[in-house]
Amino acid sequence: MKTINFLFASIIIFSICATSCSTPKTSILTAQPTTKDSLMVQICTDYIPTSIVGEGGNLAKYEKAKRDYAKNLDRAKRLEDIDGIQIKRIPRENDSICDFMAEMDDILFAYDSFELTPKAIEIIDNLSSVIIDIPTRVEVVGHTDYYGTDEYNLNLSKMRAMAVGNRLRDNGITNITEIGKGESEPVATNHTAEGRKKNRRVEIKMFTEE
């Protein structure tokens, strides 16, 4: 009888162990965030938990990534609605973050000048209202066609980039770098008027800060 009882007890213990070992781990879809995570996800757009144990931290990161993606989709739409610029996406490994480049042709400046036209000021002001909503590092790059000497074109492109950068600063954008490329990076032929017009351009690259 003792042998039977011992065997029966062993079977019960083995069954309990097998059941607990076969229970699946909590997944990111079923885990509950900590109270701190839940609060921070609601009030802090830049919150990423760094010292949280369990799946709550992963949930907070997942929710932040969704918010980032939604914000950047909204930013893309608002940029595309601005007349006078062409918007291109700058690829990044993190798909929830979008970087953009706004390209403007020579409507920004009078011929052989770095003074902003009224139309250019309107475009830059509209652009500023979108940029300022999300922490952004801005890089302004000036380009020219091939008329003139290399030195002259390089200097003109720098001055044009600085004119755009200064207007952005006037509108509250602070993290800005200006670069002049002169005639070194054409996007079209310099042998036609239309091609030269495309080469006389300013690019405003917007890198979202994580």
Side-chain angles (χ1 to χ4, degrees), residues 141 143-144 181-188 199 201 203 205:
V141 186
H143 301 270
T144 67
K181 294 284 190 176
E183 61 187 74
S184 64
E185 295 183 2
V187 293
N199 291 333
R201 68 196 191 280
E203 299 165 345
K205 299 179 181 179

Side-chain angles (χ1 to χ4, degrees), residues 79 86-90 99-103 202-206:
L79 288 172
Q86 296 179 358
I87 297 298
K88 299 177 182 178
R89 177 173 174 174
I90 302 173
D99 298 326
F100 299 97
M101 180 176 73
E103 188 173 287
V202 172
E203 299 165 345
I204 301 178
K205 299 179 181 179
M206 295 158 276

Side-chain angles (χ1 to χ4, degrees), residues 24-53:
K25 293 183 178 179
T26 303
S27 71
I28 190 171
L29 297 178
T30 60
Q32 295 300 313
T34 64
T35 302
K36 177 182 176 182
D37 280 344
S38 299
L39 179 62
M40 294 299 285
V41 163
Q42 294 177 36
I43 67 175
C44 183
T45 58
D46 295 322
Y47 176 65
I48 298 179
T50 57
S51 58
I52 300 172
V53 178

Side-chain angles (χ1 to χ4, degrees), residues 94-105:
N94 183 352
D95 287 340
S96 68
I97 301 294
C98 297
D99 298 326
F100 299 97
M101 180 176 73
E103 188 173 287
M104 292 164 281
D105 60 24

Side-chain angles (χ1 to χ4, degrees), residues 46-126:
D46 295 322
Y47 176 65
I48 298 179
T50 57
S51 58
I52 300 172
V53 178
E55 295 294 342
N58 287 334
L59 269 176
K61 291 179 183 179
Y62 175 69
E63 290 300 321
K64 180 182 182 299
K66 286 200 303 183
R67 276 198 321 276
D68 286 343
Y69 188 70
K71 283 193 301 183
N72 280 282
L73 282 180
D74 177 67
R75 168 180 272 199
K77 184 179 183 305
R78 292 172 64 192
L79 288 172
E80 289 168 356
D81 288 340
I82 299 174
D83 291 332
I85 59 176
Q86 296 179 358
I87 297 298
K88 299 177 182 178
R89 177 173 174 174
I90 302 173
R92 190 193 281 205
E93 289 183 3
N94 183 352
D95 287 340
S96 68
I97 301 294
C98 297
D99 298 326
F100 299 97
M101 180 176 73
E103 188 173 287
M104 292 164 281
D105 60 24
D106 62 352
I107 61 170
L108 287 176
F109 307 96
Y111 176 73
D112 201 29
S113 169
F114 55 84
E115 183 178 350
L116 293 169
T117 64
K119 180 61 176 177
I121 292 173
E122 178 186 345
I123 292 172
I124 296 168
D125 289 353
N126 289 335

